[in-house]
Amino acid sequence: MATVKWVECPRDAWQGFSRFIPTEEKVAFLKNLLEAGFRHLDLTSFVSPRWVPQMADAEEVLKSLPPPEGRTYLAIVANERGLERALKAPNLTHVGYPFSLSETFQRKNTNRSLEESWPLVKAMVEGTRGRLGLVVYLSMAFGNPYDDPWSVEKVLEAVARLRELGVEEIALADTYGVAEAATIREVLQAAVARFGPEGLGAHLHARPQGVLEKVEAVLEAGITWLEGALAGVGGCPFAGDELVGNLPTEVVLPYLERRGLRTGVDLARLPLLAEEAARLKALYA
């Protein structure tokens, strides 16, 4: 049976909550994920607590987890200071950098221009080499609501430039959840045709009724690295549509298994985990 790389993203689910989730609750939830068989977690970020106060306990959370032992523990970083913290953090295996095709969104999200971001990507490649894995999240990969220039070729040019810099893992992201499945399929098929499927993933946001159609578009393009969050919690705080969230894990993983794609996760545990994810949202969002 073929396998799928599923990245569970509690960091993406929690980062916009208005109330701080106690560290022990975060750790308990993450340990439950590990016990259920999740092997790839996007679990925290090293950014200023002024901007994302929810992740102020990043080091403490990581220290409280069992050693990764072949699993992926990823944290988002947005600048040099975040990378410095990540390199000193216990148990961390990967960092992720949010890079956008949109000048407007890059400034909103990281407070720097695209021109200023390329040297940072190069510095991250050099700084993580032999120490941590590096994932670049290429947002606005399926369209641009800010009316900045966008085309499939611009996406491919960005992927090519990232590869030339030495970035081996690139997740194309539909940050606002507005892309049609046909556009997702077109972009990913073009990327696979030029670069092959290895090291390419899809981080999608969607309304509930559009989830499986988008997942199917990814699979049809030949991509088997997908990301989401239990109960569909999270998404982009700039999207302005509360119905848009992460792909709901408890919906997608059983669908993948029915398609003959192994996830390695105990599906029987998903309903309770989704309930816990929804409970945390109800308490702290």
Side-chain angles (χ1 to χ4, degrees):
M1 181 183 284
T3 61
V4 169
K5 175 183 174 182
W6 178 264
V7 180
E8 184 65 20
C9 301
R11 185 272 318 165
D12 201 9
W14 296 337
Q15 64 183 359
F17 286 7
S18 60
R19 296 180 59 214
F20 185 77
I21 304 172
T23 301
E24 58 270 22
E25 287 204 58
K26 289 178 182 151
V27 171
F29 184 79
L30 294 170
K31 285 182 175 178
N32 285 338
L33 294 179
L34 296 174
E35 290 171 5
F38 288 93
R39 299 192 58 79
H40 306 282
L41 300 181
D42 171 0
L43 51 84
T44 192
S45 61
F46 292 101
V47 295
S48 170
R50 286 186 304 137
W51 298 108
V52 188
Q54 190 64 249
M55 300 298 153
D57 58 355
E59 284 90 350
E60 190 175 352
V61 167
L62 284 161
K63 182 175 64 176
S64 301
L65 295 178
E69 296 178 343
R71 296 175 293 224
T72 299
Y73 294 173
L74 179 144
I76 295 295
V77 298
N79 52 38
E80 297 88 341
R81 173 60 184 145
L83 180 59
E84 289 173 9
R85 288 176 61 196
L87 290 169
K88 298 174 184 175
N91 287 325
L92 194 69
T93 67
H94 287 68
V95 292
Y97 177 64
F99 189 87
S100 181
L101 287 169
S102 161
E103 180 77 35
T104 305
F105 188 72
Q106 188 70 2
R107 288 185 179 277
K108 279 177 173 283
N109 201 35
T110 67
N111 198 32
R112 66 177 68 206
S113 68
L114 291 178
E115 184 179 354
E116 293 167 333
S117 298
W118 283 109
L120 177 58
V121 172
K122 182 179 180 181
M124 287 187 173
V125 171
E126 295 170 352
T128 56
R129 186 176 291 122
R131 303 174 72 179
L132 295 172
L134 172 64
V135 178
V136 170
Y137 288 89
L138 190 59
S139 69
M140 305 302 172
F142 305 101
N144 185 347
Y146 292 113
D147 293 326
D148 295 328
W150 182 90
S151 67
V152 175
E153 188 55 36
K154 284 187 178 295
V155 178
L156 300 181
E157 289 172 359
V159 173
R161 187 169 177 182
L162 289 168
R163 286 284 171 85
E164 288 169 4
L165 288 175
V167 179
E168 296 179 357
E169 296 184 275
I170 303 167
L172 279 66
D174 179 20
T175 312
Y176 276 48
V178 296
E180 300 290 338
T183 303
I184 294 169
R185 185 182 298 105
E186 178 188 9
V187 172
L188 293 179
Q189 285 179 338
V192 169
R194 184 171 300 189
F195 306 104
E198 191 67 28
L200 290 178
H203 182 103
L204 306 178
H205 297 159
R207 283 174 162 241
Q209 64 270 26
V211 167
L212 293 184
E213 184 182 18
K214 292 186 177 185
V215 171
E216 183 63 28
V218 175
L219 298 177
E220 288 179 0
I223 299 291
T224 54
W225 161 12
L226 283 154
E227 307 199 348
L230 286 152
V233 178
C236 178
F238 302 118
D241 185 344
E242 62 184 25
L243 294 179
V244 172
N246 279 295
L247 300 183
T249 307
E250 71 280 8
V251 173
V252 177
L253 295 198
Y255 172 76
L256 294 175
E257 294 274 358
R258 291 195 300 270
R259 287 281 310 267
L261 298 167
R262 186 167 59 84
T263 64
V265 174
D266 183 355
L267 301 185
R269 300 186 65 162
L270 292 181
L272 285 178
L273 288 170
E275 285 182 17
E276 178 63 9
R279 184 189 72 84
L280 290 173
K281 180 181 179 181
L283 282 174
Y284 300 109

